[in-house]
Structures are given as C-alpha cells and as structure tokens.
Amino acid sequence: MKKILLYYKYVEIVEPQLIVTWQQEVCRQLGLKGRVLIAHEGINGTLEGSEQATQEYINIMNETPLFAGIDFKESIGEDDIDYFPRLRVALRDEIVGLGNKAKDVTVGSTGQHLTPEQAHELMAKPPKDLVILDTRNDYESRVGTFKNAIIPDITNFRDFPDYIDQHLDEFKDKEVLMFCTGGVRCERATAYLNTKGVARNVMQIEGGIHRYVEKFPEGFFRGKNYVFDNRVTVKVNDDILGTCDVCAKPCDEYTNCVNASCNKLFISCTPCLKVYDNTCGPTCQQLVKENKVACRPPLQTVIQRNRRFE
Ligand SMILES: [Zn+2]
Ligand SMILES: [Zn+2]
C-alpha cells in the first residue's frame, strides 16, 4: 500500500538552502516522490511512497525540532500507480505564492482556526452575517466546494490579494470563514484580509477540505476535492458541480487536450470527447487530424507545472 502525504509548517528557516539539501537526501533515501517547497517562511510538501517510507519520513520530521508537530494529512494510494513523476525539492521566496502585494503579510496576523467540528457547527447554524470564502483557484472550485461559498474568479493564488482589495465591501463587518485544500493557503489569505481591518472576524478551517471531509463526507462540502497529484480530483460525495466545457451538461471529469502543445485542462463528458477526438475543440481536432502537432495519450490528466499546489 502506498501513501500520499500533504503537509506544511510556517516556521522561520534561517538557511533554507541547507534544508533543501537535507530534504533531497531524506526523500531520495526513502524513495519518496513528489514536491517539497522550502522558503524562509516554512515548508510545504506533498509526497508519495510506501507506507513504511512515508511513516519513516514523518518520524524523521518529528524528531527534527524545527519541524516537530506537523499535521500530516494522509491518503491511501495504490502500489502500481505513480502519483508524481519525480521528486522535486525547491527553494522559493514563499511556500505558497501570494505575491508582491502581500509580501509583508505574515502568518503573525492569521485568522482564527476552527476545527472541522467547529466549522461544521458554524455552517449548520450560520449567523446571518457569515461569508464563506473559497481561497482556491477557479479550476479547483468548479468540481467541488462548500455550500453557499463565494468563489473568486482567480486562476492563481497570486491574484487573491487583488480579489480581496476589489471586494472589500463584501467582507465589511462580516464573519468570514475561509478554506482551501489543506490549510496552507488560508494561513496567509486570512492574514491578508485581517490586515485590511474590514471584517469583524476572520476564520479558517484547520486542515482545510482534507480534514473536513474526513469527518463529514456528507457535510457542507459537495462534489470533488481537487488535488495536486495524478489523481487530479478525489470524489467526496455524489454531487456533480461542474459542467462540460463543450456541451454544458453536468460533468466533473477533467482531462487534458491530446494536442500536446495545447495541453489544456478541461472538463468534458464522454460523448463530447468522442465528437472532438479527445481534443478541447474543433481547432485542436483539426491540427491533430492533419498530423500537425504531437499528441499525448488520450484521456490523460497531467499535473500542470505552472500550477501552485499545497
Ligand atoms: Zn459534453
Ligand atoms: Zn486543445
């Protein structure tokens, strides 16, 4: 049995390059694949490996004072599936990219943490000034989100501060509950809103969607949870929130256009995939037909390199 780990910790790292080298060594020795980002502000990773190797990794981290006490979210994987193509340990300016506008906003001003149970209770009996805000990108929210959540029209977390600045009125004197996949983005997203001083209270779901749906699979989160490995999405419950990009019928299956140079990640139902030969539409279909472009295997979803992950 394989396991997929998702974790983060905001902690001051004085010499991040040393941690990069150390992490590369630890992960290689344990045969782990995935991505680990390290910055002065902390560490953020998602790794796959055998049950034993991932447990050993958790032990090593816990024995390291700087990284002790991390909340490791675990998913079960299958032995014969590769969830990541390789191991990548990288030095970054931030562990999630909130960009220049928020560069002075640290987790020092982060929002109040609610456990999944507390968040559930709040949504079950919502005060009338409660605003639920999805801090993820639109392609994540399309296939699954919390009931009544506001979904910002952003494709990159870097645009989140602009979104907040342009919608301050919506948060004025409100109780704002934010969420993301595993919690790492909300730590600074809530901090950013806090620095604006408009909301009455800013909260976040501790451990994000991952921890909430473990406790409440039929709760207020509906649909699928978008993840940043080869699974692409993880089904939480039977609701279908997305629509086919071609015919607009309810559908939540992502695929990549077989035209390798297009590579668009899109939602398409099976009949539409047939009509357009597994491409995103007539333009790419024509290019493929005329053998003008290289093709990738059909019905494949690939991790988008330029996409930020948790
Ligand atoms: Zn369709
Ligand atoms: Zn295409």
Side-chain angles (χ1 to χ4, degrees):
M1 186 174 76
K2 261 187 189 175
K3 278 199 171 161
I4 301 147
L5 301 179
L6 177 68
Y7 72 93
Y8 71 87
K9 185 174 184 180
Y10 282 95
V11 59
E12 195 192 340
I13 300 177
V14 181
E15 292 195 79
Q17 185 55 55
L18 291 180
I19 303 295
V20 169
T21 311
W22 171 65
Q23 280 289 309
Q24 271 165 346
E25 227 172 80
V26 169
C27 293
R28 276 201 197 116
Q29 270 173 19
L30 293 171
L32 302 175
K33 289 194 293 181
R35 291 176 285 192
V36 180
L37 300 183
I38 293 148
H40 281 293
E41 66 171 359
I43 188 165
N44 177 17
T46 177
L47 292 167
E48 72 165 287
S50 69
E51 194 178 7
Q52 203 185 352
T54 49
Q55 188 52 54
E56 187 57 29
Y57 182 82
I58 293 172
N59 295 345
I60 291 170
M61 293 295 271
N62 274 327
E63 285 157 11
T64 308
L66 197 58
F67 299 123
I70 289 177
D71 175 27
F72 284 93
K73 290 109 197 166
E74 299 181 15
S75 318
I76 307 265
E78 285 170 45
D79 278 336
D80 51 353
I81 295 179
D82 287 326
Y83 296 93
F84 292 96
R86 65 187 77 82
L87 172 70
R88 198 159 63 88
V89 182
L91 183 67
R92 290 279 167 81
D93 292 334
E94 309 165 279
I95 56 172
V96 284
L98 200 49
N100 261 342
K101 204 168 191 177
K103 72 177 190 305
D104 298 326
V105 176
T106 68
V107 292
S109 40
T110 197
Q112 181 192 352
H113 284 234
L114 298 191
T115 63
E117 289 83 357
Q118 289 169 329
H120 188 76
E121 180 74 23
L122 184 73
M123 288 182 278
K125 295 179 196 131
K128 68 173 190 311
D129 54 359
L130 179 69
V131 171
I132 303 169
L133 178 61
D134 198 330
T135 65
R136 300 172 303 155
N137 301 315
D138 54 3
Y139 57 85
E140 297 172 79
S141 316
R142 276 189 78 185
V143 292
T145 190
F146 278 91
K147 271 184 190 164
N148 303 321
I150 295 178
I151 295 166
D153 180 23
I154 57 170
T155 53
N156 194 303
F157 191 51
R158 249 176 259 119
D159 300 325
F160 187 80
D162 277 339
Y163 170 82
I164 291 289
D165 291 354
Q166 287 155 16
H167 296 81
L168 283 177
D169 279 355
E170 288 183 42
F171 308 112
K172 199 170 168 359
D173 300 323
K174 296 283 183 354
E175 297 209 41
V176 183
L177 175 65
M178 295 194 203
F179 64 92
C180 60
T181 316
V184 66
R185 282 178 274 189
C186 282
E187 300 279 11
R188 284 184 71 221
T190 55
Y192 188 78
L193 181 57
N194 263 335
T195 60
K196 299 288 162 183
V198 294
R200 204 172 70 232
N201 190 17
V202 181
M203 300 164 281
Q204 60 194 302
I205 304 181
E206 199 170 82
I209 296 162
H210 187 105
R211 286 288 183 226
Y212 178 86
V213 302
E214 273 180 351
K215 293 267 161 60
F216 304 101
E218 289 294 342
F220 294 105
F221 183 91
R222 306 308 303 176
K224 285 176 163 175
N225 184 17
Y226 191 100
V227 293
F228 291 80
D229 60 61
N230 278 340
R231 291 173 296 171
V232 185
T233 56
V234 176
K235 186 175 168 164
V236 175
N237 46 55
D238 287 336
D239 288 16
I240 295 175
L241 272 64
T243 50
C244 173
D245 282 326
V246 184
C247 73
K249 282 187 184 139
C251 178
D252 59 7
E253 294 291 338
Y254 270 113
T255 187
N256 283 82
C257 180
V258 289
N259 170 5
S261 56
C262 168
N263 196 27
K264 182 183 172 187
L265 183 72
F266 66 110
I267 296 178
S268 180
C269 67
T270 312
C272 288
L273 282 173
K274 261 197 183 139
V275 169
Y276 291 108
D277 299 321
N278 299 308
T279 65
C280 67
T283 311
C284 282
Q285 184 184 34
Q286 196 60 28
L287 290 168
V288 169
K289 257 190 189 150
E290 292 167 6
N291 282 320
K292 282 183 174 157
V293 287
C295 285
R296 62 165 60 261
L299 305 178
Q300 232 191 23
T301 36
V302 293
I303 303 166
Q304 307 283 294
R305 270 239 195 112
N306 55 350
R307 298 217 152 121
R308 289 285 180 161
F309 76 105
E310 288 211 297

